[in-house]
Amino acid sequence: SGLQMIEAYGAFANKGVRMKPYLVSKIESSNGNIIFENRPTQVRQVIGEKEAGELTKMLELVVENDGTGKLAKIPGYPVAGKTGTAQKVNSQTKAYDPNNFVSSFIGYVPAAKPKYVIYVVYDSPQGVHYGGAVAAPVFRDIAREALAYAGVPPEKNEFARQP
């Protein structure tokens, strides 16, 4: 499920530690009093910290210029992610439908110190159907807005002169 994908990538982003998922961070009354608040809760270490770091480096390559997720790239923010494209089964023929797909991109940003895990899924996109072409740009746009909203500064200046 989507929640399981978010949990898995969240564990990669969190140095191998799986966290208890929640959908609501907090509930405030109209006058600003906090009625309910979830707190991050560790479940357990699901992969080693070293392995999670190596996986992050691999997922960062997906977003490089020759990777399938290059359209998820955000100047100044390293992105770790993965594209997905899967054929759907035709319910009448019980065979793969050559014209029906699920396209996705899942990733976390900034890759080294993640603030967000974002999963974008298109069910039956029309025309271009590859996850890197359909879902990766939506991930980029959502992540860029979320990072700006949270005040996360860029890690590097893509436009600065390199020595």
Side-chain angles (χ1 to χ4, degrees), residues 8-97:
Y9 276 75
F12 306 153
N14 200 37
K15 300 180 180 175
V17 177
R18 179 175 167 244
M19 304 296 287
K20 180 181 177 187
Y22 56 86
L23 299 176
V24 176
S25 175
K26 67 181 170 182
I27 299 171
E28 293 183 19
S29 67
S30 58
N31 62 0
N33 292 327
I34 296 174
I35 298 169
F36 172 80
E37 185 170 17
N38 270 309
R39 299 275 183 194
T41 305
Q42 293 185 6
V43 176
R44 66 185 171 95
Q45 188 85 30
V46 292
I47 62 170
E49 185 175 336
K50 179 183 175 202
E51 290 76 13
E54 290 172 0
L55 183 56
T56 294
K57 289 176 187 170
M58 288 185 252
L59 293 170
E60 284 182 273
L61 294 175
V62 171
V63 184
E64 290 302 315
N65 292 336
D66 56 349
T68 58
K70 63 187 171 203
L71 295 179
K73 193 172 191 173
I74 305 169
Y77 298 93
V79 175
K82 182 70 182 89
T83 61
T85 306
Q87 278 184 292
K88 294 175 70 174
V89 173
N90 181 306
S91 61
Q92 294 176 349
T93 66
K94 307 294 186 215
Y96 286 114
D97 187 334

Side-chain angles (χ1 to χ4, degrees), residues 86-128:
Q87 278 184 292
K88 294 175 70 174
V89 173
N90 181 306
S91 61
Q92 294 176 349
T93 66
K94 307 294 186 215
Y96 286 114
D97 187 334
N99 301 308
N100 201 0
F101 297 85
V102 174
S103 307
S104 64
F105 185 88
I106 187 167
Y108 44 97
V109 65
K113 293 182 180 179
K115 179 78 174 164
Y116 297 104
V117 177
I118 301 167
Y119 187 32
V120 177
V121 180
Y122 275 85
D123 189 1
S124 303
Q126 301 301 304
V128 176

